[in-house]
Amino acid sequence: MNQTFVKAALFGVALSTLPAHAQDQRTSIPVALVAEDGTTTEADWPLISKDEMTKPWNICVLFPHLKDSYWVAANYGIADEIVRTATSMTLYDAGGYNNLSTQLSQMDNCIAQGFDAIILGAISADGVGALVKKATDAGIPVIDFVNGVNEPSVSGHALVSFYDLAFTTGKYLIEQSGGEPLKVGFFPGPQGAGWSDDAVRGFNDAIAGSPVEVLVTRRGDTGLNVQLDFISNALLTYDDIDWVVGVDIAAEAGAIAVRNAGLIDQVSVAAFDIIPPVYEDIKAGATKASPTDYTALQGRLAVDMALRLLEGQTLAAKRAGPRPIMVTQENLDTIEYTDMFAPKDFSVTFNLTEGK
């Protein structure tokens, strides 16, 4: 067995680490159902009940990393839904977007161990393809979670398009420009990650022909220090940047870098997806805005898709995700915190056996 696989399994956390208000009692999630031609339909996605479970299904969950609060929120949504349905899960963390080989080894071990289903936060939309096909050929449903998978045999997609999220942020910047030139430093995450490549296309499509201009793009791992270095260097090199825009961690780093450079009155920050530090920065006025993809709800949806397929049910759509909205200082108090993020008392949970 792969050493990383064993190490992850040793860090299991019991049910007691879930907060007291866990096992969310919601019965449905507002989603956009995405048809094969790309058209969307708004709907409520009913969540499968505990009483519908014919056995305590065991799900393998594969994450690119757990280095930031985005993936902790994803962990919470999945874990809480596992508890609610009295099923089981084991989560494996590849350690970062540079570790595709680790994720592939972990996934191969999940297949070999005979997990009932796999929820996959893919490091590479194309790089996981062969193992997705191997799993589905073996009768193991694979749910593409958050990041995107291109292999056609994947069983379902529980995600919000990062193209749409970044497009939304691009249109927001056009509004903020007031028709005047606006220059951007863009920090969308690692090249080759499907979600990041989608975000680049979405943002660039949104600002095409507008007064918004990207002066510099820097791409790399979503570690805070990596993004902080990118942004700090860009602010030194390009003294006419008006906005720092990027993935959640880049926005968190951007607020720090702008403050450290003494540019709070000159450079604004926006994200194309949200995590608690970005939420707090919006509340404090250090960051202007970010769309939310309701990360915790995506986790619930991924579990529901997997369980419905295991119970022989037909999904309402092969691809679905919560309906995103733009979060600003004006509306953030109206949005349910735990639909987006993990509760503040939540601890990372790797192992749950029959909801315990």
Side-chain angles (χ1 to χ4, degrees), residues 195-207:
W195 63 268
S196 180
D197 293 344
D198 287 347
V200 171
R201 291 189 300 105
F203 187 77
N204 287 333
D205 285 354
I207 66 172

Side-chain angles (χ1 to χ4, degrees), residues 220-240:
D221 187 71
T222 53
L224 181 63
N225 289 336
V226 172
Q227 295 298 321
L228 187 58
D229 284 345
F230 284 164
I231 296 167
S232 298
N233 290 335
L235 292 174
L236 285 172
T237 305
Y238 300 88
D239 59 7
D240 52 350

Side-chain angles (χ1 to χ4, degrees), residues 27-231:
T27 58
S28 65
I29 297 172
V31 299
L33 306 177
V34 184
E36 289 189 11
D37 63 1
T39 58
T40 61
T41 304
E42 293 190 358
D44 279 333
W45 185 288
L47 292 173
I48 198 167
S49 71
K50 178 180 176 179
D51 293 341
E52 293 177 78
M53 297 299 100
T54 58
K55 62 179 287 189
W57 302 104
N58 193 15
I59 298 176
C60 168
V61 181
L62 297 164
F63 279 5
H65 64 81
L66 277 160
K67 295 188 289 186
D68 61 53
S69 48
Y70 185 95
W71 287 100
V72 174
N75 180 205
Y76 164 70
I78 289 172
D80 199 47
E81 201 63 15
I82 290 289
V83 171
R84 189 186 67 79
T85 55
T87 48
S88 302
M89 78 163 200
T90 303
L91 167 66
Y92 302 99
D93 162 18
Y97 279 99
N98 296 324
N99 298 333
L100 175 60
S101 61
T102 300
Q103 184 170 78
L104 295 178
S105 179
Q106 291 170 341
M107 187 171 179
D108 207 27
N109 278 313
C110 286
I111 296 168
Q113 290 201 3
F115 279 86
D116 296 310
I118 295 172
I119 295 173
L120 173 61
I123 286 177
S124 167
D126 292 313
V128 298
L131 282 178
V132 170
K133 184 70 162 56
K134 180 178 179 180
T136 55
D137 283 350
I140 302 172
V142 179
I143 304 302
D144 168 25
F145 177 54
V146 173
N147 280 352
V149 167
N150 292 333
E151 166 57 43
S153 69
V154 73
S155 309
H157 304 269
L159 49 78
V160 175
S161 166
F162 273 76
Y163 178 98
D164 292 343
L165 291 168
F167 190 93
T168 300
T169 300
K171 290 302 184 185
Y172 172 81
L173 258 67
I174 294 172
E175 293 173 4
Q176 296 298 302
S177 75
E180 299 296 322
L182 187 155
K183 297 180 179 180
V184 173
F186 190 40
F187 306 91
Q191 193 158 359
W195 63 268
S196 180
D197 293 344
D198 287 347
V200 171
R201 291 189 300 105
F203 187 77
N204 287 333
D205 285 354
I207 66 172
S210 80
V212 178
E213 174 190 0
V214 175
L215 283 183
V216 55
T217 300
R218 292 285 182 269
R219 304 192 66 179
D221 187 71
T222 53
L224 181 63
N225 289 336
V226 172
Q227 295 298 321
L228 187 58
D229 284 345
F230 284 164
I231 296 167

Side-chain angles (χ1 to χ4, degrees), residues 310-344:
L310 289 170
E311 291 292 344
Q313 299 182 17
T314 300
L315 302 181
K318 185 175 180 179
R319 176 171 177 163
R323 300 194 293 267
I325 65 168
M326 202 70 175
V327 181
T328 66
Q329 198 172 50
E330 289 70 35
N331 72 353
L332 56 77
D333 289 333
T334 68
I335 302 168
E336 183 65 39
Y337 187 88
T338 54
D339 285 350
M340 299 186 289
F341 312 127
K344 294 177 181 178

